[in-house]
Amino acid sequence: VQLQASGGGLVQPGGSLRLSCAASGRMFSINAMNWYRQAPEKPRELVAGITSGGTTNYADSVKGRFTISRDNAKNTVYLQMNSLKPEDTADYYCSADVTLREGYPDIHYWGQGTLVTVSS
């Protein structure tokens, strides 16, 4: 299973970006999908998560500005980021809890980071 993240870049404060993360490979199902971020010299933090049924959760710092969604047919999770601030600058990582075979426990996979830089 591979997770391929994309959509990062340089944006001015107040701007928007949309991150995507597509899962590929043989799998039975994908359960929770999440976005994390890690700024320089800071620990990785959970930004947003979404269950297979569409229940979402957000870090307080991004509530009202970021929206997580997923397309189960495409095995893809998105992160719409609006009203971006300089403090949102970080490497953003997607993750997924994947069931490879029915009845087996989930395995947690990580995608590679995609850099988001918010600067004027």
Side-chain angles (χ1 to χ4, degrees):
V1 174
Q2 290 188 328
L3 301 180
Q4 182 67 46
S6 61
L10 173 64
V11 63
Q12 293 187 341
S16 297
L17 280 176
R18 188 192 195 207
L19 306 183
S20 300
C21 176
S24 61
R26 291 190 66 178
M27 64 194 93
F28 176 74
S29 65
I30 303 176
N31 301 307
M33 302 184 83
N34 304 291
W35 286 98
Y36 288 78
R37 67 186 179 186
Q38 187 166 20
E41 300 183 359
K42 290 189 176 180
R44 190 172 294 188
E45 64 172 348
L46 177 65
V47 176
I50 185 167
T51 68
S52 57
T55 300
T56 59
N57 63 282
Y58 297 92
D60 288 343
S61 59
V62 306
K63 282 180 181 177
R65 301 188 299 122
F66 290 11
T67 302
I68 189 170
S69 61
R70 63 191 285 172
D71 184 333
N72 291 330
K74 296 181 179 180
N75 292 332
T76 299
V77 63
Y78 306 96
L79 186 68
Q80 178 66 43
M81 305 185 294
N82 299 328
S83 302
L84 282 160
K85 304 175 181 180
E87 51 264 43
D88 294 317
T89 296
D91 281 307
Y92 283 71
Y93 298 86
C94 59
S95 75
D97 295 328
V98 177
T99 304
L100 296 181
R101 295 177 63 182
E102 187 176 10
Y104 280 64
D106 289 352
I107 298 176
H108 191 76
Y109 289 91
W110 289 95
Q112 90 289 2
T114 184
L115 179 62
V116 172
T117 303
V118 184
S119 175
S120 54

